[in-house]
Amino acid sequence: MSTPYVALLIVTFALHALLISFVLAGTAYVAIRGLRGGEDPLAAASRDWLPFALGAAITAGVAPLLFVQVLYQPRFYTANLLLFVRWLAIVPALIVGFYA
């Protein structure tokens, strides 16, 4: 019963990791190219796509959390109760990251 959920968890987490990797690498590349100066079409294209990629990465991060909740219901619920403040700290960090 849980095998399809595990497969979907892996696929959705891989998609999330891919998008986050693009955001991190793209931001680093744009920052370095900005410090060096000059025209770079790859940096310009990355700069244009970074807001979309960040929104997509945040949205894609919801699915793995939902599959974790389905797979580990009692343990995940208890862990969330114990780590409630830490989970809430993620929300302002995502808001700042999204609007920065």
Side-chain angles (χ1 to χ4, degrees):
M1 158 116 180
S2 66
T3 303
Y5 294 126
V6 172
L8 287 171
L9 171 67
I10 292 169
V11 168
T12 57
F13 185 73
L15 176 65
H16 173 66
L18 179 73
L19 289 166
I20 288 295
S21 298
F22 173 75
V23 170
L24 291 174
T27 302
Y29 184 75
V30 168
I32 290 170
R33 291 302 297 175
L35 292 174
R36 294 174 113 188
E39 291 291 322
D40 184 5
L42 182 60
S46 294
R47 192 179 312 110
D48 291 340
W49 280 96
L50 277 174
F52 171 77
L54 180 62
I58 291 170
T59 304
V62 173
L65 286 175
L66 293 176
F67 286 118
V68 166
Q69 187 175 2
V70 167
L71 288 169
Y72 303 106
Q73 292 172 0
R75 292 174 295 244
F76 188 70
Y77 180 73
T78 305
N80 280 335
L81 289 178
L82 295 173
L83 300 171
F84 176 69
V85 175
R86 291 187 180 122
W87 276 109
L88 280 182
I90 291 173
V91 174
L94 289 175
I95 291 171
V96 167
F98 187 74
Y99 287 111

Short mmCIF file of all heavy atoms in Angstrom, two decimals, residues 55-89:
data_model
loop_
_atom_site.label_atom_id
_atom_site.label_comp_id
_atom_site.label_asym_id
_atom_site.label_seq_id
_atom_site.Cartn_x
_atom_site.Cartn_y
_atom_site.Cartn_z
N GLY A 55 9.56 30.44 -6.70
CA GLY A 55 8.15 30.13 -6.43
C GLY A 55 7.83 28.68 -6.71
O GLY A 55 7.12 28.01 -5.94
N ALA A 56 8.37 28.15 -7.81
CA ALA A 56 8.15 26.75 -8.15
C ALA A 56 8.81 25.82 -7.13
O ALA A 56 8.24 24.78 -6.76
CB ALA A 56 8.67 26.45 -9.55
N ALA A 57 9.99 26.19 -6.64
CA ALA A 57 10.68 25.36 -5.65
C ALA A 57 9.91 25.32 -4.33
O ALA A 57 9.79 24.27 -3.71
CB ALA A 57 12.09 25.89 -5.42
N ILE A 58 9.39 26.47 -3.92
CA ILE A 58 8.60 26.52 -2.68
C ILE A 58 7.34 25.69 -2.84
O ILE A 58 6.97 24.90 -1.96
CB ILE A 58 8.29 27.97 -2.30
CG1 ILE A 58 9.56 28.69 -1.88
CG2 ILE A 58 7.26 28.03 -1.18
CD1 ILE A 58 9.40 30.19 -1.72
N THR A 59 6.68 25.83 -3.97
CA THR A 59 5.45 25.07 -4.22
C THR A 59 5.74 23.58 -4.32
O THR A 59 4.98 22.76 -3.79
CB THR A 59 4.78 25.57 -5.51
OG1 THR A 59 4.56 26.98 -5.40
CG2 THR A 59 3.47 24.87 -5.76
N ALA A 60 6.84 23.22 -4.97
CA ALA A 60 7.19 21.81 -5.12
C ALA A 60 7.61 21.19 -3.79
O ALA A 60 7.60 19.97 -3.65
CB ALA A 60 8.32 21.64 -6.14
N GLY A 61 7.95 22.00 -2.81
CA GLY A 61 8.32 21.47 -1.50
C GLY A 61 7.14 21.03 -0.66
O GLY A 61 7.30 20.34 0.34
N VAL A 62 5.93 21.39 -1.08
CA VAL A 62 4.74 21.01 -0.33
C VAL A 62 4.43 19.52 -0.51
O VAL A 62 4.08 18.84 0.46
CB VAL A 62 3.53 21.88 -0.75
CG1 VAL A 62 2.25 21.40 -0.11
CG2 VAL A 62 3.79 23.34 -0.41
N ALA A 63 4.55 19.01 -1.71
CA ALA A 63 4.19 17.62 -2.00
C ALA A 63 5.00 16.62 -1.17
O ALA A 63 4.42 15.69 -0.59
CB ALA A 63 4.33 17.34 -3.49
N PRO A 64 6.34 16.76 -1.08
CA PRO A 64 7.06 15.78 -0.23
C PRO A 64 6.60 15.82 1.23
O PRO A 64 6.52 14.78 1.88
CB PRO A 64 8.53 16.20 -0.35
CG PRO A 64 8.61 16.99 -1.59
CD PRO A 64 7.28 17.63 -1.78
N LEU A 65 6.30 17.01 1.74
CA LEU A 65 5.81 17.09 3.12
C LEU A 65 4.48 16.36 3.27
O LEU A 65 4.24 15.70 4.29
CB LEU A 65 5.66 18.55 3.54
CG LEU A 65 6.96 19.28 3.84
CD1 LEU A 65 6.68 20.75 4.13
CD2 LEU A 65 7.69 18.64 4.99
N LEU A 66 3.62 16.47 2.28
CA LEU A 66 2.33 15.78 2.36
C LEU A 66 2.51 14.26 2.30
O LEU A 66 1.83 13.52 3.01
CB LEU A 66 1.41 16.26 1.25
CG LEU A 66 0.95 17.71 1.36
CD1 LEU A 66 0.12 18.11 0.16
CD2 LEU A 66 0.19 17.95 2.64
N PHE A 67 3.43 13.79 1.46
CA PHE A 67 3.66 12.35 1.39
C PHE A 67 4.32 11.83 2.66
O PHE A 67 4.03 10.72 3.10
CB PHE A 67 4.50 11.98 0.16
CG PHE A 67 3.70 12.06 -1.11
CD1 PHE A 67 4.05 12.93 -2.11
CD2 PHE A 67 2.58 11.26 -1.29
CE1 PHE A 67 3.31 13.02 -3.28
CE2 PHE A 67 1.82 11.33 -2.45
CZ PHE A 67 2.20 12.21 -3.44
N VAL A 68 5.19 12.62 3.27
CA VAL A 68 5.76 12.22 4.56
C VAL A 68 4.66 12.12 5.61
O VAL A 68 4.63 11.19 6.42
CB VAL A 68 6.85 13.22 5.01
CG1 VAL A 68 7.21 13.05 6.47
CG2 VAL A 68 8.09 13.06 4.16
N GLN A 69 3.73 13.06 5.56
CA GLN A 69 2.61 13.03 6.52
C GLN A 69 1.74 11.78 6.30
O GLN A 69 1.28 11.18 7.27
CB GLN A 69 1.77 14.29 6.36
CG GLN A 69 0.70 14.43 7.40
CD GLN A 69 -0.03 15.76 7.27
OE1 GLN A 69 0.25 16.56 6.39
NE2 GLN A 69 -0.98 15.98 8.15
N VAL A 70 1.53 11.40 5.07
CA VAL A 70 0.73 10.20 4.78
C VAL A 70 1.46 8.94 5.22
O VAL A 70 0.86 8.03 5.81
CB VAL A 70 0.38 10.13 3.28
CG1 VAL A 70 -0.16 8.77 2.89
CG2 VAL A 70 -0.61 11.22 2.91
N LEU A 71 2.76 8.88 4.97
CA LEU A 71 3.53 7.66 5.28
C LEU A 71 3.80 7.49 6.77
O LEU A 71 3.82 6.37 7.27
CB LEU A 71 4.86 7.70 4.52
CG LEU A 71 4.75 7.47 3.01
CD1 LEU A 71 6.06 7.79 2.33
CD2 LEU A 71 4.34 6.04 2.73
N TYR A 72 4.03 8.58 7.48
CA TYR A 72 4.44 8.48 8.89
C TYR A 72 3.45 9.24 9.77
O TYR A 72 3.85 10.07 10.58
CB TYR A 72 5.84 9.07 9.06
CG TYR A 72 6.86 8.40 8.18
CD1 TYR A 72 7.37 9.06 7.07
CD2 TYR A 72 7.31 7.13 8.45
CE1 TYR A 72 8.30 8.45 6.24
CE2 TYR A 72 8.24 6.51 7.64
CZ TYR A 72 8.73 7.19 6.54
OH TYR A 72 9.64 6.58 5.73
N GLN A 73 2.17 8.95 9.64
CA GLN A 73 1.12 9.72 10.30
C GLN A 73 1.34 9.93 11.79
O GLN A 73 1.45 11.08 12.23
CB GLN A 73 -0.24 9.07 10.06
CG GLN A 73 -0.69 9.16 8.64
CD GLN A 73 -1.94 8.35 8.39
OE1 GLN A 73 -2.46 7.71 9.29
NE2 GLN A 73 -2.42 8.37 7.17
N PRO A 74 1.37 8.91 12.63
CA PRO A 74 1.46 9.18 14.08
C PRO A 74 2.78 9.82 14.48
O PRO A 74 2.81 10.76 15.26
CB PRO A 74 1.33 7.80 14.73
CG PRO A 74 0.93 6.86 13.66
CD PRO A 74 1.24 7.49 12.35
N ARG A 75 3.89 9.32 13.92
CA ARG A 75 5.19 9.87 14.30
C ARG A 75 5.36 11.29 13.77
O ARG A 75 5.92 12.15 14.45
CB ARG A 75 6.30 8.97 13.77
CG ARG A 75 6.34 7.62 14.48
CD ARG A 75 7.34 6.73 13.82
NE ARG A 75 6.92 6.44 12.45
CZ ARG A 75 6.61 5.24 12.00
NH1 ARG A 75 6.71 4.21 12.79
NH2 ARG A 75 6.21 5.06 10.77
N PHE A 76 4.88 11.56 12.56
CA PHE A 76 5.01 12.89 11.98
C PHE A 76 4.17 13.90 12.76
O PHE A 76 4.60 15.01 13.01
CB PHE A 76 4.59 12.87 10.51
CG PHE A 76 4.88 14.14 9.78
CD1 PHE A 76 6.18 14.51 9.51
CD2 PHE A 76 3.85 14.96 9.36
CE1 PHE A 76 6.46 15.69 8.82
CE2 PHE A 76 4.11 16.13 8.68
CZ PHE A 76 5.42 16.50 8.41
N TYR A 77 2.98 13.50 13.16
CA TYR A 77 2.11 14.39 13.93
C TYR A 77 2.74 14.73 15.28
O TYR A 77 2.78 15.89 15.69
CB TYR A 77 0.74 13.75 14.13
CG TYR A 77 -0.21 14.60 14.92
CD1 TYR A 77 -0.78 15.73 14.34
CD2 TYR A 77 -0.51 14.30 16.24
CE1 TYR A 77 -1.64 16.53 15.07
CE2 TYR A 77 -1.37 15.10 16.97
CZ TYR A 77 -1.94 16.20 16.37
OH TYR A 77 -2.78 16.99 17.09
N THR A 78 3.29 13.75 15.97
CA THR A 78 3.93 13.98 17.26
C THR A 78 5.17 14.86 17.10
O THR A 78 5.40 15.77 17.89
CB THR A 78 4.32 12.64 17.90
OG1 THR A 78 3.17 11.82 17.98
CG2 THR A 78 4.89 12.84 19.28
N ALA A 79 5.94 14.62 16.08
CA ALA A 79 7.13 15.43 15.84
C ALA A 79 6.75 16.88 15.56
O ALA A 79 7.43 17.80 16.01
CB ALA A 79 7.93 14.86 14.67
N ASN A 80 5.68 17.09 14.83
CA ASN A 80 5.24 18.46 14.56
C ASN A 80 4.79 19.17 15.82
O ASN A 80 5.01 20.37 15.98
CB ASN A 80 4.11 18.47 13.53
CG ASN A 80 4.63 18.32 12.13
OD1 ASN A 80 5.76 18.65 11.86
ND2 ASN A 80 3.79 17.80 11.26
N LEU A 81 4.15 18.45 16.73
CA LEU A 81 3.76 19.07 17.99
C LEU A 81 4.98 19.48 18.80
O LEU A 81 5.01 20.55 19.41
CB LEU A 81 2.88 18.11 18.80
CG LEU A 81 1.48 17.87 18.26
CD1 LEU A 81 0.76 16.87 19.15
CD2 LEU A 81 0.69 19.16 18.18
N LEU A 82 5.99 18.63 18.81
CA LEU A 82 7.19 18.92 19.59
C LEU A 82 8.06 20.02 18.95
O LEU A 82 8.73 20.77 19.64
CB LEU A 82 8.03 17.65 19.77
CG LEU A 82 7.36 16.55 20.60
CD1 LEU A 82 8.21 15.29 20.57
CD2 LEU A 82 7.14 17.03 22.02
N LEU A 83 8.04 20.09 17.63
CA LEU A 83 8.88 21.06 16.91
C LEU A 83 8.07 22.22 16.34
O LEU A 83 8.48 22.84 15.35
CB LEU A 83 9.62 20.34 15.77
CG LEU A 83 10.55 19.22 16.21
CD1 LEU A 83 11.06 18.46 14.99
CD2 LEU A 83 11.71 19.79 16.99
N PHE A 84 6.94 22.53 16.94
CA PHE A 84 6.01 23.52 16.40
C PHE A 84 6.68 24.86 16.13
O PHE A 84 6.52 25.44 15.07
CB PHE A 84 4.84 23.68 17.38
CG PHE A 84 3.86 24.74 16.99
CD1 PHE A 84 3.05 24.54 15.89
CD2 PHE A 84 3.76 25.92 17.70
CE1 PHE A 84 2.13 25.51 15.52
CE2 PHE A 84 2.85 26.89 17.33
CZ PHE A 84 2.03 26.68 16.24
N VAL A 85 7.46 25.37 17.09
CA VAL A 85 8.09 26.68 16.93
C VAL A 85 9.10 26.66 15.79
O VAL A 85 9.19 27.62 15.01
CB VAL A 85 8.75 27.11 18.25
CG1 VAL A 85 9.49 28.42 18.09
CG2 VAL A 85 7.70 27.24 19.34
N ARG A 86 9.83 25.58 15.67
CA ARG A 86 10.82 25.49 14.57
C ARG A 86 10.13 25.43 13.21
O ARG A 86 10.62 26.00 12.24
CB ARG A 86 11.72 24.29 14.78
CG ARG A 86 12.63 24.48 15.97
CD ARG A 86 13.64 23.37 16.07
NE ARG A 86 14.48 23.60 17.21
CZ ARG A 86 14.62 22.75 18.22
NH1 ARG A 86 13.99 21.61 18.19
NH2 ARG A 86 15.40 23.04 19.22
N TRP A 87 9.02 24.71 13.13
CA TRP A 87 8.27 24.68 11.87
C TRP A 87 7.75 26.06 11.51
O TRP A 87 7.74 26.45 10.36
CB TRP A 87 7.11 23.69 11.94
CG TRP A 87 7.49 22.27 11.65
CD1 TRP A 87 7.55 21.25 12.53
CD2 TRP A 87 7.87 21.72 10.38
NE1 TRP A 87 7.95 20.10 11.91
CE2 TRP A 87 8.15 20.35 10.58
CE3 TRP A 87 8.00 22.24 9.11
CZ2 TRP A 87 8.55 19.51 9.56
CZ3 TRP A 87 8.39 21.41 8.09
CH2 TRP A 87 8.66 20.05 8.32
N LEU A 88 7.28 26.80 12.50
CA LEU A 88 6.78 28.15 12.23
C LEU A 88 7.89 29.10 11.82
O LEU A 88 7.64 30.06 11.11
CB LEU A 88 6.05 28.70 13.45
CG LEU A 88 4.61 28.22 13.63
CD1 LEU A 88 3.98 28.88 14.85
CD2 LEU A 88 3.77 28.51 12.41
N ALA A 89 9.11 28.86 12.24
CA ALA A 89 10.23 29.71 11.85
C ALA A 89 10.53 29.60 10.36
O ALA A 89 11.13 30.51 9.78
CB ALA A 89 11.46 29.35 12.67
#
